[in-house]
Amino acid sequence: MTEQHAERRAILSGSVFEERIGYARAVVDGDWVHVSGTTGFDYAAMTISEDVVEQAEQCLRNIGDALGRAGCGFEDVVRVRYLLPEREDFEPCWPVLRRVFGEVRPAATMMVCGLADPRMRIEVEVYARRRTLRVEAVHGEDMLEEWRYVHNAVVPPAAMSLDDARGRLGRYRMENAYLGDVLVGCSTVRPPEGEGAVATVIARVLPEYRGRGFGTALYERGLTHARVLGARGVETCVLAANEDGLRFAERRGFVEVERYVLDGESDLWVDLRLGQG
């Protein structure tokens, strides 16, 4: 089981309102995520549509970004509040709201009240509770098939059969990550090899669950295991087309050492090594 959600953390969106007034777009407090009342401004440009439905869509994009940075998503929302100056503006927004919350069914309240800027026609506030990431060593055919699914989804050029995966399970440390009962990622640790005792640590997260800290949790577990095995150096391997994976590795101190194409294939791969410190 991973250790997560222990501290209080503020998430800023770049909105000038946050700076001028003195608040955060969201605050992570343990497992809870409190997202401030969010309007339909595009915070990068500080522009806002005149259309209430377009404002509602932008509200949800802004909230979705904050939730993602907090390590959760709309599926984790437990309460939502809608604030509108004009009650007749609410019903046109229902299809947009139902598209996001229709399956989630959070508790909800709609209030008619004035907003801070006359251009604002809707404001949305949400509370979410993050689910704990569960990481388990792969055992049994069902978990091995899940590991293979993530591997093949993230690196389709290197898609492997179940027999291939079985062979790796006999040599490597392989783990799956779950959010509740939902599969979100997997990892592989290849034991140290060669004179430099270099281990390989690979963390993979399905695209729809990236940006929530799951890759970091998998990577840190893999790194710890590699060091327990006596690794003096650590490498990772990323498909060059996987830009998210390359950025993830570089942010954690990995430095590119080689690019290559495997015999008989056309896809470019990148080997990276963890720098000192």
Side-chain angles (χ1 to χ4, degrees):
M1 189 75 70
T2 58
E3 296 293 332
Q4 285 194 312
H5 318 334
E7 63 183 45
R8 184 183 187 279
R9 174 166 60 95
I11 294 172
L12 306 179
S13 70
S15 164
V16 298
F17 300 117
E18 295 167 28
E19 181 65 25
R20 290 175 180 172
I21 301 172
Y23 69 98
R25 177 57 43 206
V27 173
V28 179
D29 185 14
D31 286 339
W32 289 99
V33 180
H34 306 264
V35 181
S36 297
T38 300
T39 62
F41 272 91
D42 176 345
Y43 294 131
M46 286 309 296
T47 57
I48 190 169
S49 170
E50 295 181 357
D51 182 77
V52 67
V53 175
E54 292 179 3
Q55 286 194 26
E57 291 173 338
Q58 184 64 48
C59 282
L60 295 174
R61 283 193 289 271
N62 294 339
I63 291 169
D65 178 68
L67 290 172
R69 291 168 61 193
C72 60
F74 283 112
E75 66 274 15
D76 300 304
V77 171
V78 298
R79 167 164 282 282
V80 57
R81 289 190 177 92
Y82 305 107
L83 311 175
L84 296 94
E86 304 294 338
R87 60 171 46 88
E88 60 267 23
D89 279 347
F90 190 42
E91 188 169 350
C93 299
W94 289 359
V96 174
L97 305 176
R98 186 168 59 247
R99 188 167 64 241
V100 173
F101 296 116
E103 296 297 324
V104 181
R105 298 298 179 96
T109 302
M110 181 274 194
M111 300 176 63
V112 177
C113 60
L115 299 180
D117 185 314
R119 293 173 292 176
M120 299 173 180
R121 299 180 63 181
I122 184 170
E123 182 171 321
V124 182
E125 172 188 345
V126 307
Y127 299 138
R129 186 171 188 177
R130 303 191 296 180
R131 291 170 288 174
T132 301
L133 186 69
R134 175 168 55 90
V135 182
E136 295 186 5
V138 172
H139 62 275
E141 292 287 292
D142 290 344
M143 290 189 71
L144 187 61
E145 180 59 42
E146 290 177 324
W147 182 95
R148 188 176 76 97
Y149 170 78
V150 176
H151 174 278
N152 291 353
V154 175
V155 284
M160 65 176 66
S161 67
L162 193 55
D163 282 341
D164 292 332
R166 287 193 191 103
R168 283 163 172 75
L169 184 58
R171 305 191 306 272
Y172 307 147
R173 170 78 170 185
M174 294 157 61
E175 294 186 324
N176 289 342
Y178 305 89
L179 195 59
D181 294 324
V182 178
L183 178 71
V184 300
C186 73
S187 67
T188 305
V189 178
R190 300 174 188 165
E193 297 178 344
E195 294 181 1
V198 176
T200 300
V201 177
I202 301 172
R204 297 189 174 103
V205 175
L206 293 170
E208 60 269 34
Y209 296 103
R210 290 175 186 167
R212 303 192 192 184
F214 303 151
T216 298
L218 281 167
Y219 162 70
E220 290 178 350
R221 283 174 62 93
L223 187 61
T224 298
H225 185 67
R227 288 172 173 159
V228 168
L229 294 176
R232 297 197 300 273
V234 175
E235 290 185 344
T236 194
C237 178
V238 182
L239 187 66
N242 182 3
E243 296 180 356
D244 287 342
L246 287 173
R247 284 193 293 268
F248 178 88
E250 290 167 355
R251 286 197 298 267
R252 278 146 191 85
F254 282 87
V255 178
E256 181 179 328
V257 294
E258 183 181 7
R259 290 188 175 226
Y260 55 90
V261 176
L262 298 173
D263 291 342
E265 299 184 6
S266 59
D267 296 286
L268 186 63
W269 293 86
V270 182
D271 282 349
L272 304 100
R273 180 166 292 190
L274 188 63
Q276 296 299 314

